[in-house]
Amino acid sequence: MARKGADLKADVKKLKEKVQKLRKKVKKAAKDTVGSGKTAATVSPLAPKNGFPTLPRIAGVEFATVAAGVRYAGRTDVMLARLAPGTALAGAFTRSSTRAACVLDCQSKLKIAAESEDGAAIIVNSGNANAFTGKAGQEAVDAVTSGVAAALGLPPSRVLSSSTGVIGEPLPHKRITASLPELVAGLDDGAIELAARAIMTTDTFAKGAAAELAGEGGTIRIAGIAKGSGMIAPDMATMLVYIFTDAAIPSKALQKMVSRQVDDTFNAITVDSDTSTSDALIVAATGMSDAAPITDLRGKVAREFEAALRRVMMDLAHQVVRDGEGATKFVEVRVTGAADAADAHRIAMAIANSPLVKTAIAGEDANWGRIVAAIGKSGARADRDLISIRFGDLLVAEKGWRVPDYSEQAASDYMKRQDLVIGVDLGLGKGAKSVWTCDLTHRYIDINADYRS
Amino acid sequence: MARKGADLKADVKKLKEKVQKLRKKVKKAAKDTVGSGKTAATVSPLAPKNGFPTLPRIAGVEFATVAAGVRYAGRTDVMLARLAPGTALAGAFTRSSTRAACVLDCQSKLKIAAESEDGAAIIVNSGNANAFTGKAGQEAVDAVTSGVAAALGLPPSRVLSSSTGVIGEPLPHKRITASLPELVAGLDDGAIELAARAIMTTDTFAKGAAAELAGEGGTIRIAGIAKGSGMIAPDMATMLVYIFTDAAIPSKALQKMVSRQVDDTFNAITVDSDTSTSDALIVAATGMSDAAPITDLRGKVAREFEAALRRVMMDLAHQVVRDGEGATKFVEVRVTGAADAADAHRIAMAIANSPLVKTAIAGEDANWGRIVAAIGKSGARADRDLISIRFGDLLVAEKGWRVPDYSEQAASDYMKRQDLVIGVDLGLGKGAKSVWTCDLTHRYIDINADYRS
């Protein structure tokens, strides 16, 4: 008994040391990533107040990160996630016609190897997007993914990769493959926050979100990380998102849920109307939860799982907007009463992307006239004299004009808030859609006028 | 004979005094308009070096301006143009679904009264756009145009009006009608530059252009003015354009020419992708040239007239971009090799409107990767590995990658120029299109974050 007690104490001590070590690493990574660029100096004022959330460990998922020197010096820039045998995979990707080699590679691999008894892996580098790099782009993807496959004993079709950063520069892929031994040695199921930091580019904070639900006979856990803060617009944003769950669910069912939820989440956010060539959302389900497999796809657990997945996706999508380059305001544009859902989407995005609306918000100017102009240019059906506009609960305009008791003071006071809701009702039908955006500030210009320098 | 000489001398003296007086007025107006807003402080660095051009007098057109106090203090803000009996009218307007009352009014009047034996008039105010002002909007238009009709003895259907400035505020139309006696008394065929100044809002310079051609038996003259510097995007820009000619040409033929030329000129420019609710281009042909009427619409004179009209339209369109809010670079985006013309237009506009491309240009960063990303998001057909990109004559990328002898130095040197040409060849077909844009700078934010304050 005494011996067992001593063993346990030793284990606890070891674990504590490990935690200490990880905390130090996280602290260092946080310092390195946030201070690294000339431009990504301070954390966004819209960042979650409590910092990176505590994410549950997902059984069957391990992470490792390394400073491979892809582009940045003195910070981690490659992350590897190893996934247990039998992990089901699903994804959603940019629809850009000039999408990067790694995106095309992920798409083709998911078609043939989303469901498999084999393990799987995801490898991601920041600093270089490996986009518009011609034939060399695919060669780099092949080198990296087959390197990971060899190092972990996986078929190459089960290794997905992403790259984010500068476009049009050749990816120094040998720096990544040279780091594989260190990555493999460092795999750790508690390192998800480090993974979130390694994939950052102009992000000012690491992004994570989690959810749990009761499955049959056990808990199902979901944890996700994301990066993105500019070139954010549908379809998908310049955004990399990795969501892990221990749920046991067939890849086809998982893919259906992801496809269903992506429109209201990642395809409903915009920072600057620019779409990346590299956007990727990958969802991996290891099936290692104690809960029974999700087989009845119309059952309670399936519905609750999809709802929890949606919450994680929405949370991460909002965090991307909250880290929008130069953002000082988080804005929901809530369109109702449009002729149909497509029109609602078109109008919401026209408002959310309008530089004039976004600069007015930056200036805390209750300039609803610019919202009307954005509705007008959207191409969607609109009757000027049926439109009403709200700032939060404050009705500012209805039936084609400002309300009789309009108070500039009340509207201006509202605009001083950090989180804003712009409500637009078209008065035509039942089409509704919410999208999220941020304001357009001097800092956006600072960040983007010399991103490469 | 002596008496006749004395009369002539007196006439010359009077004319000289008049010229002197006009020059003073122009100088004062220039000072007032450019210094008037908090924000419109300095003239755009892209402004034509020689200032406002000398425009020919157009027989049958007189102008007057007044400081009516619509919104601005101490500067002219209303201009009236009186057009001779029989003047043919044509126009092109914003396609915004929330367009202003004056635009709807112009469109309906041009349907019934473009051709008439009566005289005509155009009245324009700056400072208030009278847009999204409900029923009061149309009432204000009626009050202003019928006031002008009464003052000049014209049918109201021959009086066109425009308003530009803040959206959503009621137009204080009585200030305009109260100024009509002063306006009518001041009508002068040499006051076109004053007219160009009175219609300015955030413009930093007055815009004018002219052309002449030999008609049958005499010269045909064209002179135009424009305003616009933000909320500039197709279809039309936040732009008011008035072009006058002494040509004798039926309104239908004139309208055809205007419609044909507007796509390559005013609908091919963008500053910020935002479309105004008030855009208007009005062309008036007085028929008072010595040249014979243009009757053979396929004849040499008709073709030369249309070419001259196009030159004036293009010149004014470019000047609007050169006065783009905060602009420091004038950029032509020249797309060739697209699958068709519509695709070429879509790609050119996606590049010209991309905030990331525009901030890179502001930073003199040869970031052709962002151009690829913009092509990708455009929705037009593109094959990543067939695209080539040029900065001026400098080939920077071809067949999906940067050229082997790519020189960052040479590309960066090119970006330091004030006037840039970005060439994109898709390698797919014969679709071609040029559009013009400017960079996105801190000053754009300054101007638009507190336009109303």
Side-chain angles (χ1 to χ4, degrees):
Chain A
M1 288 298 278
R3 197 180 155 77
K4 208 176 171 186
D7 280 356
L8 273 175
K9 268 190 190 165
D11 281 359
V12 166
K13 203 185 157 198
K14 260 192 196 162
L15 279 171
K16 273 189 182 165
E17 278 169 10
K18 197 175 157 189
V19 165
Q20 199 85 12
K21 214 173 133 193
L22 275 170
R23 278 207 186 126
K24 265 190 199 162
K25 265 177 116 173
V26 165
K27 217 170 157 185
K28 185 171 181 308
K31 211 178 124 212
D32 289 347
T33 45
V34 168
S36 68
K38 255 192 195 171
T39 47
T42 48
V43 173
S44 166
L46 306 175
K49 295 292 165 254
N50 299 322
F52 195 84
T54 305
L55 302 185
R57 291 171 194 233
I58 305 296
V61 188
E62 298 156 287
F63 302 92
T65 61
V66 74
V70 172
R71 181 182 187 88
Y72 310 123
R75 56 153 282 192
T76 56
D77 55 3
V78 178
M79 86 99 174
L80 174 68
R82 176 161 67 181
L83 304 161
T87 293
L89 298 169
F93 300 89
T94 180
R95 280 181 275 205
S96 167
S97 63
T98 55
R99 52 192 178 275
C102 55
V103 171
L104 297 168
D105 188 66
C106 283
Q107 290 178 309
S108 68
K109 285 176 175 173
L110 282 180
K111 269 186 199 150
I112 55 165
E115 191 81 38
S116 162
E117 291 306 306
D118 291 310
I122 301 169
I123 183 150
V124 184
N125 75 273
S126 55
N128 183 311
N130 188 28
F132 206 58
T133 44
K135 242 179 72 184
Q138 185 58 46
E139 285 164 12
V141 171
D142 289 342
V144 170
T145 57
S146 60
V148 171
L152 296 179
L154 299 171
S157 62
R158 291 280 283 173
V159 181
L160 305 180
S161 73
S162 303
S163 294
T164 177
V166 170
I167 307 175
E169 305 272 341
L171 178 68
H173 56 83
K174 283 181 187 161
R175 293 185 200 163
I176 298 173
T177 47
S179 303
L180 283 173
E182 191 184 336
L183 281 166
V184 174
L187 284 164
D188 185 314
D189 67 356
I192 192 168
E193 183 174 351
L194 292 172
R197 295 200 176 279
I199 63 176
M200 288 164 67
T201 56
T202 55
D203 304 60
T204 72
F205 62 90
K207 297 162 190 74
E212 280 188 6
L213 64 144
E216 281 175 47
T219 302
I220 294 172
R221 293 179 179 83
I222 306 174
I225 56 174
K227 67 97 10 193
S229 68
M231 209 186 255
I232 297 295
D235 296 309
M236 299 294 289
T238 302
M239 209 164 44
L240 301 179
V241 186
Y242 307 97
I243 298 177
F244 308 93
T245 175
D246 53 10
I249 182 168
S251 64
K252 274 194 185 167
L254 188 63
Q255 182 63 55
K256 261 192 196 163
M257 291 178 180
V258 169
S259 300
R260 240 189 325 247
Q261 298 307 330
V262 79
D263 273 345
D264 282 350
T265 57
F266 295 110
N267 285 347
I269 62 172
T270 182
V271 165
D272 53 14
S273 83
D274 272 322
T275 307
S276 159
T277 56
S278 311
D279 304 325
L281 158 66
I282 295 172
V283 183
T286 65
M288 290 182 72
S289 160
D290 295 333
I294 300 174
T295 48
D296 175 9
L297 298 175
R298 293 180 176 184
K300 183 166 169 283
V301 176
R303 278 183 282 118
E304 286 182 5
F305 175 75
E306 184 167 352
L309 182 64
R310 179 191 171 95
R311 282 200 305 279
V312 171
M313 289 168 72
M314 191 68 96
D315 190 342
L316 291 173
H318 287 184
Q319 286 188 53
V320 169
V321 175
R322 287 185 176 280
D323 205 7
E325 288 171 346
T328 69
K329 306 273 187 187
F330 178 74
V331 187
E332 177 178 349
V333 179
R334 194 182 288 167
V335 172
T336 54
D340 58 30
D343 269 12
H345 184 80
R346 212 170 290 139
I347 290 167
M349 274 297 174
I351 296 168
N353 279 325
S354 159
L356 287 172
V357 170
K358 289 157 71 77
T359 47
I361 293 169
E364 303 187 333
D365 175 5
N367 196 325
W368 54 272
R370 292 184 183 172
I371 295 169
V372 179
I375 297 168
K377 77 165 176 173
S378 70
R381 285 155 285 184
D383 178 338
R384 199 187 62 190
D385 296 342
L386 292 177
I387 297 168
S388 62
I389 297 175
R390 277 186 170 75
F391 292 153
D393 293 331
L394 198 70
L395 182 68
V396 293
E398 64 179 342
K399 289 179 192 153
W401 206 15
R402 66 185 189 195
V403 292
D405 60 347
Y406 177 76
S407 155
E408 181 80 23
Q409 188 59 49
S412 291
D413 285 349
Y414 181 78
M415 297 306 287
K416 292 196 172 70
R417 297 188 190 190
Q418 200 168 62
D419 286 16
L420 302 170
V421 179
I422 294 176
V424 171
D425 191 275
L426 279 298
L428 291 176
K430 291 189 171 176
K433 178 81 180 176
S434 279
V435 306
W436 291 268
T437 190
C438 58
D439 52 345
L440 174 57
T441 67
H442 284 293
R443 183 119 188 89
Y444 180 85
I445 311 266
D446 283 337
I447 294 169
N448 288 299
D450 69 333
Y451 174 63
R452 300 200 317 167
S453 55
Chain B
M1 286 297 280
R3 201 182 151 77
K4 210 175 170 187
D7 278 358
L8 274 175
K9 269 188 190 167
D11 281 357
V12 165
K13 201 185 157 197
K14 260 193 199 166
L15 279 171
K16 275 191 182 164
E17 279 169 9
K18 199 174 157 187
V19 165
Q20 198 86 11
K21 215 172 132 192
L22 275 171
R23 278 204 186 130
K24 266 191 198 162
K25 265 177 118 174
V26 165
K27 216 169 160 187
K28 187 173 178 307
K31 210 177 125 215
D32 289 348
T33 45
V34 169
S36 68
K38 258 190 194 172
T39 47
T42 47
V43 173
S44 167
L46 307 175
K49 296 290 166 256
N50 298 322
F52 195 85
T54 306
L55 301 185
R57 292 173 192 231
I58 305 296
V61 189
E62 298 157 286
F63 302 92
T65 62
V66 74
V70 171
R71 180 182 188 88
Y72 309 123
R75 57 154 281 193
T76 56
D77 55 3
V78 178
M79 85 99 174
L80 174 68
R82 177 162 66 180
L83 304 161
T87 292
L89 299 169
F93 301 89
T94 180
R95 279 180 275 205
S96 167
S97 63
T98 55
R99 50 193 179 273
C102 54
V103 171
L104 296 168
D105 188 67
C106 283
Q107 289 178 308
S108 68
K109 285 175 177 174
L110 282 181
K111 269 186 200 149
I112 55 166
E115 192 79 40
S116 161
E117 291 306 307
D118 290 310
I122 302 169
I123 183 151
V124 185
N125 75 273
S126 55
N128 184 311
N130 188 29
F132 206 57
T133 44
K135 242 179 72 184
Q138 186 57 46
E139 286 163 11
V141 172
D142 290 342
V144 170
T145 57
S146 60
V148 171
L152 296 179
L154 298 171
S157 63
R158 291 279 284 173
V159 181
L160 304 180
S161 73
S162 303
S163 294
T164 177
V166 171
I167 307 176
E169 305 272 341
L171 178 69
H173 56 83
K174 283 181 186 161
R175 295 186 199 161
I176 299 172
T177 47
S179 303
L180 283 172
E182 191 183 337
L183 281 165
V184 173
L187 283 164
D188 186 314
D189 67 356
I192 191 168
E193 183 175 349
L194 292 172
R197 296 199 176 279
I199 63 175
M200 288 164 68
T201 57
T202 54
D203 304 60
T204 73
F205 62 89
K207 298 163 188 72
E212 281 189 6
L213 64 145
E216 283 175 46
T219 302
I220 295 173
R221 292 178 180 84
I222 306 175
I225 57 173
K227 67 100 7 195
S229 68
M231 208 186 256
I232 297 294
D235 297 312
M236 299 293 290
T238 304
M239 210 165 42
L240 302 179
V241 186
Y242 307 96
I243 298 176
F244 308 94
T245 174
D246 54 9
I249 182 168
S251 64
K252 274 193 185 167
L254 188 63
Q255 182 64 55
K256 261 193 198 162
M257 292 177 180
V258 169
S259 300
R260 241 190 323 248
Q261 298 306 330
V262 80
D263 273 343
D264 282 350
T265 56
F266 296 111
N267 285 348
I269 62 170
T270 182
V271 165
D272 54 13
S273 82
D274 272 323
T275 308
S276 161
T277 57
S278 310
D279 303 324
L281 157 66
I282 297 171
V283 183
T286 64
M288 291 181 71
S289 159
D290 294 333
I294 300 175
T295 48
D296 175 9
L297 298 176
R298 294 180 176 184
K300 183 166 169 282
V301 176
R303 279 184 282 117
E304 286 182 4
F305 175 74
E306 184 168 351
L309 182 63
R310 178 192 171 96
R311 282 201 304 279
V312 170
M313 288 168 73
M314 191 69 97
D315 190 344
L316 291 172
H318 287 185
Q319 286 188 53
V320 169
V321 175
R322 287 184 176 280
D323 205 8
E325 288 170 346
T328 69
K329 305 274 186 187
F330 178 74
V331 186
E332 176 177 350
V333 180
R334 195 181 290 168
V335 173
T336 53
D340 58 29
D343 269 11
H345 183 80
R346 213 171 289 140
I347 290 167
M349 275 296 175
I351 297 168
N353 279 324
S354 159
L356 287 172
V357 170
K358 290 156 71 77
T359 47
I361 294 169
E364 303 187 332
D365 176 5
N367 197 325
W368 54 272
R370 292 184 183 171
I371 295 168
V372 180
I375 296 168
K377 76 164 179 175
S378 70
R381 283 156 288 181
D383 178 337
R384 197 189 61 190
D385 296 342
L386 292 177
I387 297 168
S388 63
I389 297 175
R390 275 185 171 77
F391 292 153
D393 294 330
L394 198 69
L395 182 68
V396 293
E398 65 179 341
K399 290 181 191 152
W401 205 14
R402 65 185 190 193
V403 292
D405 60 347
Y406 176 77
S407 155
E408 181 80 23
Q409 190 57 50
S412 291
D413 285 349
Y414 181 78
M415 297 307 288
K416 293 197 172 70
R417 299 187 189 190
Q418 199 168 62
D419 286 16
L420 302 170
V421 178
I422 294 176
V424 171
D425 191 276
L426 279 298
L428 292 175
K430 293 189 170 177
K433 178 81 182 177
S434 279
V435 306
W436 292 267
T437 189
C438 58
D439 53 344
L440 173 58
T441 66
H442 283 294
R443 182 117 189 91
Y444 180 85
I445 312 267
D446 283 337
I447 294 169
N448 287 299
D450 69 331
Y451 175 63
R452 300 199 318 166
S453 57

